[in-house]
Amino acid sequence: MRQGARSSVLNGRVSELEQVVRARRSIRLFHADRPVPRADVLAALDLASRAPSNSNTQPWHLVLASGSARERLVAALVEASRHREPAIPPLPAEFERMKYALGEQLYGSMGIERDDADSRRKAQRLNWRFYNAPLAGIVCMHRELHHVDSLGVGMFLQTLLLGLTARGLGTCVQMLIAGFPDVIREALDIPEHYEILCGLAIGHPVEDFPSNNLAIPRKPVDECVVFHDD
Ligand SMILES: Cc1cc2nc3c(=O)[nH]c(=O)nc-3n(C[C@H](O)[C@H](O)[C@H](O)COP(=O)(O)O)c2cc1C
């Protein structure tokens, strides 16, 4: 294909891509009884596998659980969370305030006050149920790979989210889930050589749940990008 022809085809698709990117948001309540079509998941996975990666190592490994495998996983996570806190590394103070702001917006949309610790905990517990999503994912990477390889996993994951969004499905990436790696490993028989990076909820969003319709703000571009022109 000639260069000009190729770029004009790509240009024609930019607005569609942009629409999908802007339509994606983290979904925190799904229809438990609406199954996720396997064909849609396979098509989105096929798209996601086009992600770039260091030396084409394709470092992503995704374990997906539905039906009784998902129930087993959820039961194990719920049980573990009754006895101990998930092992989540603390954020540096500079970033902690962003987590605080997110919490304000998220719990605010659910009508939960800042000092209502009980209601916050209750809302957070939905994490262990993958927010009722019928398809529960565990994102892994080989333990001996490095930071740079997790970039590839991230690119795979974002492309997967977009492919699912374009098919009318909702998603939520969940690091909290990875706070119980031993539990997940046992429930889904995940070998030790895979590091568990995060969970992934996939399903049909409950459209009128207020926190499914939040536009979580972003930093202005000039706060995170520096141009040097001379
Ligand atoms: C690596 C990663 C981990 C996340 N962990 C969680 C989580 O444990 N629970 C949750 O509800 N959302 C989680 N999220 C969703 C973020 O809170 C969300 O992406 C962010 O606030 C921006 O909102 P948006 O996705 O709706 O644009 C996670 C997202 C990423 C990328």
Side-chain angles (χ1 to χ4, degrees):
M1 195 185 286
R2 280 181 303 113
Q3 186 60 45
R6 185 162 184 265
S7 51
S8 71
V9 170
L10 290 176
N11 283 342
R13 289 183 187 154
V14 163
S15 64
E16 261 176 58
L17 171 67
E18 191 163 333
Q19 276 174 28
V20 177
V21 172
R22 292 191 186 280
R24 186 216 58 79
R25 54 194 51 175
S26 294
I27 297 301
R28 294 186 176 87
L29 194 64
F30 295 85
H31 289 288
D33 52 356
R34 279 190 67 188
V36 176
R38 181 63 56 93
D40 285 345
V41 176
L42 288 173
L45 285 167
D46 183 56
L47 182 71
S49 71
R50 299 309 307 164
S53 59
N54 176 27
S55 299
N56 199 26
T57 47
Q58 301 166 64
W60 43 82
H61 183 81
L62 180 61
V63 180
L64 290 167
S66 58
S68 53
R70 177 197 171 280
E71 280 168 29
R72 188 168 67 242
L73 175 63
V74 166
L77 287 168
V78 168
E79 180 59 18
S81 70
R82 284 204 184 108
H83 302 290
R84 56 185 159 117
E85 292 295 316
I88 301 295
L91 287 173
E94 181 193 347
F95 296 94
E96 188 63 40
R97 65 179 171 79
M98 299 169 97
K99 182 175 167 184
Y100 182 94
L102 173 66
E104 289 285 283
Q105 195 175 353
L106 199 54
Y107 295 119
S109 74
M110 298 176 193
I112 301 174
E113 304 287 341
R114 164 132 292 275
D115 53 5
D116 186 352
D118 262 7
S119 302
R120 281 186 172 229
R121 252 197 307 277
K122 208 159 137 197
Q124 215 190 35
R125 278 207 290 270
L126 261 182
N127 262 287
W128 315 126
R129 301 182 184 281
F130 293 83
Y131 297 112
N132 289 350
L135 189 58
I138 302 295
V139 180
C140 310
M141 185 177 82
H142 197 289
R143 195 173 286 289
E144 286 167 25
L145 291 174
H146 307 287
H147 266 150
V148 72
D149 301 298
S150 62
L151 295 177
V153 180
M155 291 183 197
F156 169 85
L157 193 53
Q158 167 73 340
T159 311
L160 178 60
L161 303 188
L162 296 179
L164 292 168
T165 303
R167 288 167 176 79
L169 290 161
T171 56
C172 190
V173 177
Q174 297 174 271
M175 64 88 205
L176 216 56
I177 295 278
F180 291 120
D182 49 333
V183 171
I184 296 168
R185 213 177 280 293
E186 190 182 332
L188 296 181
D189 205 15
I190 298 176
E192 269 300 326
H193 66 262
Y194 284 122
E195 187 182 350
I196 292 169
L197 298 183
C198 61
L200 174 63
I202 304 173
H204 291 93
V206 173
E207 298 292 353
D208 56 3
F209 183 57
S211 41
N212 282 352
N213 294 296
L214 295 176
I216 303 293
R218 298 297 196 263
K219 290 193 269 190
V221 168
D222 64 8
E223 264 184 42
C224 37
V225 180
V226 178
F227 288 95
H228 285 288
D229 294 321
D230 46 51

